[in-house]
Amino acid sequence: MNFADYRGIWVYLEVKDGHIAPVSLELLGAGRKLADKRKTELAGVLIGSGIKQLASTAFAYGADVVYVYDAPIFAHYRTEPYMHALLDCCRKHKPEVLLYGATPTGKDLASAIATDLPTGLTADTTVLDIEEDTGLLLASRPAFGGNIMATILCKKYRPQMATVRPKVMKALPPDPTRTGKIIEEQITLREEDVRTKVLEIVRETTKKVRIDEADIIVAGGKGMGSKEGFQLIHQLADALGAAVGASRDVVEAGWIDHHHQVGQTGVTVTPKIYFAIGISGAIQHIVGMQNSELIIAINKDPNAPIFQSCHYGIVGDAFEIVPLLIEQIKRELPNIKASSTSKEEMRHV
Ligand SMILES: Cc1cc2nc3c(=O)[nH]c(=O)nc-3n(C[C@H](O)[C@H](O)[C@H](O)COP(=O)(O)OP(=O)(O)OC[C@H]3O[C@@H](n4cnc5c(N)ncnc54)[C@H](O)[C@@H]3O)c2cc1C
């Protein structure tokens, strides 16, 4: 393997509901920094049907080049056709680094590519850097239960690949005047050669706010005592129009579904306001919420580690404090429009 043949930082541009997924835009932001440091090109790979025009979004967010595979066979994500397209692109154009969002699609595709090329894959990376001279990707992620950060290197193979969790990297402010080069590619693949068929797409219908999209999250921990006690978390969330988050111990106790788990083995969140109530503040929880703009902790133990990671801390019993908060919020909230949930306004509440 001649490393000199491999050039450029690439991002797999996941398409969701006709748009480039936010995590891919975040990766373009991270990729731009790596490409500038390595003095190389930042490229995106777009696969789908009727998606060529999305290349302009990728340029606005930092890409120099976009490889496009636009054909009806790519109308819905399926491992085989997407894998063949991306393999084709990698074999022809040889990227030095290839990044994917750590979404179900990104994880599926990345592992298929890693098996076929073959090369390594660092999963769930939270920090990315590159050695300017060697081009060695430094992909760091929490390891050993979150107690250390491990930096993983892929010294012998190319491309160097990593999946990165949504909301960990920052997208650049879009610049609609930026342009780039579109390279259209094709593969020969017949529908009858693809083993998976999409028969129906069933959309999840939920009125609840999703934690990865919420501006405010009210998260509860084992300190809520029981599933019944945890209802207080739902009540506060309802009063604020917030999403409900939880620690892993709460999920394991069966008080709430895994989709609500915040942390290393759950979802990474960056809301404007994060309430951590009856949560001790284990490192595995902290890594999932530490980038929230404002963190408010309620815990009856003044020495709870959560108080090291919050902006405001209330030492006391959640069962005394939360009902008072709900009462106050219900009284004040009519004066505060649901759309205006800035830190300043929350302080008044
Ligand atoms: C590999 C690995 C991955 C993990 N991934 C995750 C993850 O993704 N997310 C995650 O959350 N955890 C994760 N964990 C688990 C993590 O280590 C902790 O065990 C967990 O976060 C603790 O949950 P907790 O804070 O709800 O419970 P506890 O640690 O039991 O804390 C309960 C807190 O509630 C307080 N309290 C009790 N009663 C009240 C009251 N009436 N009012 C106010 N406060 C009260 C207590 O003082 C205490 O601080 C992981 C662990 C491992 C090993």
Side-chain angles (χ1 to χ4, degrees):
M1 185 172 271
N2 184 1
F3 281 12
D5 295 341
Y6 289 80
R7 266 188 237 114
I9 311 293
W10 284 18
V11 174
Y12 165 64
L13 300 172
E14 187 172 332
V15 178
K16 213 175 151 195
D17 299 328
H19 301 283
I20 297 180
V23 65
S24 303
L25 303 178
E26 292 156 20
L27 287 182
L28 285 174
R32 184 71 264 163
K33 287 188 194 134
L34 300 180
D36 290 346
K37 190 166 177 188
R38 182 75 175 133
K39 297 183 183 62
T40 187
E41 220 168 50
L42 175 65
V45 185
L46 258 179
I47 307 172
S49 178
I51 42 82
K52 186 179 156 190
Q53 77 288 352
L54 296 179
S56 59
T57 308
F59 297 139
Y61 279 88
D64 303 309
V65 178
V66 174
Y67 298 98
V68 178
Y69 289 78
D70 197 334
I73 201 162
F74 303 125
H76 301 294
Y77 177 77
R78 288 175 295 172
T79 313
E80 268 180 296
Y82 275 61
M83 178 188 81
H84 286 303
L86 194 49
L87 280 173
D88 175 74
C89 208
C90 288
R91 289 195 173 115
K92 268 191 205 146
H93 302 286
K94 298 189 174 12
E96 188 170 42
V97 170
L98 175 49
L99 306 174
Y100 310 75
T103 59
T105 301
K107 288 179 184 178
D108 182 64
L109 187 59
S111 47
I113 300 288
T115 324
D116 212 287
L117 276 180
T119 185
L121 171 65
T122 306
D124 281 336
T125 310
T126 53
V127 182
L128 286 171
D129 200 357
I130 196 162
E131 284 184 6
E132 205 174 323
D133 303 334
T134 62
L136 204 55
L137 182 73
L138 311 174
S140 305
R141 53 157 295 156
F144 296 106
N147 289 322
I148 61 158
M149 284 295 280
T151 300
I152 297 166
L153 312 177
C154 176
K155 289 186 170 174
K156 294 189 179 161
Y157 300 98
R158 292 293 180 269
Q160 305 165 87
M161 305 208 301
T163 61
V164 180
R165 282 189 184 202
K167 303 236 179 188
V168 173
M169 304 292 164
K170 280 228 170 342
L172 296 171
D175 174 359
T177 63
R178 274 192 98 254
T179 53
K181 193 159 99 186
I182 296 180
I183 301 177
E184 292 188 63
E185 295 285 0
Q186 281 178 2
I187 50 165
T188 341
L189 186 67
R190 296 174 314 160
E191 184 56 52
E192 46 275 33
D193 296 332
V194 182
R195 282 168 293 185
T196 321
K197 310 287 171 214
V198 177
L199 303 180
E200 191 187 0
I201 295 179
V202 182
R203 296 205 175 268
E204 199 182 25
T205 50
T206 171
K207 284 196 183 138
K208 292 277 175 202
V209 192
R210 290 178 42 168
I211 57 168
D212 54 347
E213 293 171 353
D215 278 345
I216 309 178
I217 296 175
V218 179
K222 240 357 218 327
M224 300 315 292
S226 64
K227 194 169 183 172
E228 291 67 41
F230 196 79
Q231 292 311 308
L232 205 50
I233 299 295
H234 288 280
Q235 287 164 22
L236 179 57
D238 286 347
L240 286 164
V244 173
S247 69
R248 187 172 85 166
D249 288 22
V250 160
V251 171
E252 282 179 350
W255 299 353
I256 198 165
D257 186 88
H258 178 253
H259 290 109
H260 297 264
Q261 185 183 316
V262 174
Q264 187 188 320
T265 41
V267 182
T268 303
V269 296
T270 51
K272 292 194 173 109
I273 306 168
Y274 188 88
F275 286 89
I277 306 175
I279 292 179
S280 57
I283 181 69
Q284 297 89 355
H285 188 84
I286 299 296
V287 293
M289 44 64 91
Q290 61 192 354
N291 291 329
S292 306
E293 277 183 41
L294 182 76
I295 300 170
I296 302 167
I298 303 174
N299 197 302
K300 69 177 184 187
D301 174 6
N303 298 315
I306 190 72
F307 290 128
Q308 305 299 319
S309 304
C310 67
H311 302 98
Y312 294 99
I314 304 172
V315 179
D317 188 337
F319 293 96
E320 287 172 19
I321 295 161
V322 176
L324 292 175
L325 266 178
I326 295 171
E327 204 183 295
Q328 181 91 355
I329 287 163
K330 282 187 176 161
R331 212 172 28 239
E332 300 272 346
L333 207 59
N335 308 326
I336 303 167
K337 292 282 167 227
S339 58
S340 52
T341 50
S342 73
K343 280 192 245 176
E344 259 334 295
E345 282 152 345
M346 282 306 299
R347 277 187 198 121
H348 295 306
V349 175

